[in-house]
Amino acid sequence: MRSPKIIFTYLAIFGIAFLVFFSCDSKEKQEAEHSGDILVDEEELSRNRAQIDAALAQNELWYSHWSSEVGMFEASHFELTMTDSIDPMEMPEKNPILKGDPLYPYQFPHPEGNGTMDIYSSKVEAHESIDSPYLNPDAEVIWYRQDGMKERLLFMGPSGMFEDGMWLNESEFLVLGYFQGISGYRPMTWLINVETHVLKQFQLAKESESYVPQSYINSKIKPLDLV
């Protein structure tokens, strides 16, 4: 029969091992919950960079605009900084940007006819009742679906801007813009999957110390003269 001392030693060792395991497991769960990240394999990352390369080639205006600010760059210079799920905040609302609105030509119709993506109406104030168009502090990426529902997919405060975008296919939309950090202005891309509601954020390794926030929008949306 084992002595009480030996039994106590076994119990102590088992208790310490259990606490260490529980502590590590809890830490890993907390880190996963805190980051909200969804793992992306290298093959998928290569596919995303190819999508960014195609977007840069097709959107020469945005690429040349930022190349003049930070120098030449390509998709390989973008780093994946976040992968997260999106709460689309779905609600009934039809697209208020109709023909005749200054922003109507600058929306992004879904390739299969499922509504329109809008990245400008929250940011750019340009209706008939104001003398001079101006920029609001905040911006949103909004999908006005064909069924009359609105999905708010992405939000940006005054520290950055959604400047352009494009549908890559019927389920993926790419947003081009920038974010202002402590050391400067950094070009960004956001890849949104409207079916899985997964968001991937990429940032360029280069940045500019100074930048005029309305400079790209003024060159993109010709009828406007933003202040």
Side-chain angles (χ1 to χ4, degrees):
M1 184 175 181
R2 294 175 179 172
S3 68
K5 184 175 181 180
I6 293 175
I7 294 173
F8 176 80
T9 301
Y10 284 158
L11 290 175
I13 293 173
F14 176 80
I16 292 171
F18 176 80
L19 288 174
V20 170
F21 173 80
F22 181 79
S23 175
C24 292
D25 185 60
S26 298
K27 183 178 179 182
E28 289 174 358
K29 288 181 179 179
Q30 288 173 1
E31 289 175 351
E33 290 171 358
H34 177 72
S35 66
D37 285 352
I38 300 171
L39 294 178
V40 179
D41 59 30
E42 287 300 319
E43 184 177 350
E44 176 67 6
L45 188 57
S46 296
R47 187 182 76 90
N48 295 153
R49 287 212 168 99
Q51 290 174 309
I52 295 173
D53 253 336
L56 296 178
Q58 292 182 50
N59 200 315
E60 295 181 5
L61 181 62
W62 190 83
Y63 176 74
S64 60
H65 178 82
W66 274 101
S67 292
S68 67
E69 297 284 342
V70 299
M72 304 291 284
F73 60 90
E74 57 187 39
S76 62
H77 299 146
F78 281 89
E79 302 167 347
L80 178 64
T81 58
M82 181 183 70
T83 302
D84 207 351
S85 58
I86 300 172
D87 180 358
M89 297 181 65
E90 183 178 304
M91 63 192 75
E93 185 176 336
K94 293 185 177 180
N95 188 359
I97 307 300
L98 306 175
K99 288 183 178 180
D101 190 292
L103 299 178
Y104 180 81
Y106 303 99
Q107 298 210 312
F108 305 91
H110 187 270
E112 300 296 328
N114 191 3
T116 302
M117 196 71 78
D118 168 43
I119 69 171
Y120 296 125
S121 64
S122 297
K123 188 68 177 179
V124 180
E125 205 68 50
H127 47 78
E128 294 179 355
S129 62
I130 59 173
D131 295 329
S132 300
Y134 62 91
L135 296 178
N136 288 312
D138 302 332
E140 297 177 338
V141 175
I142 300 171
W143 183 21
Y144 291 103
R145 299 195 325 238
Q146 188 66 28
D147 61 3
M149 298 298 287
K150 164 186 172 180
E151 289 191 24
R152 184 192 185 199
L153 299 172
L154 198 55
F155 174 84
M156 173 76 79
S159 56
M161 192 185 303
F162 306 128
E163 296 180 307
D164 218 320
M166 62 180 295
W167 285 99
L168 301 172
N169 49 59
E170 66 276 5
S171 61
E172 293 176 296
F173 187 81
L174 183 72
V175 184
L176 303 167
Y178 74 86
F179 185 82
Q180 180 185 5
I182 297 174
S183 56
Y185 298 79
R186 191 182 297 272
M188 307 282 293
T189 66
W190 295 268
L191 180 59
I192 303 170
N193 190 309
V194 298
E195 290 186 356
T196 62
H197 290 105
V198 170
L199 167 70
K200 297 174 187 175
Q201 177 179 280
F202 295 81
Q203 70 174 23
L204 192 66
K206 302 177 180 181
E207 62 184 4
S208 174
E209 292 183 2
S210 61
Y211 183 67
V212 179
Q214 69 270 25
S215 58
Y216 180 77
I217 302 297
N218 270 336
S219 63
K220 165 81 174 184
I221 306 178
K222 298 300 184 182
L224 301 182
D225 185 14
L226 294 164
V227 295

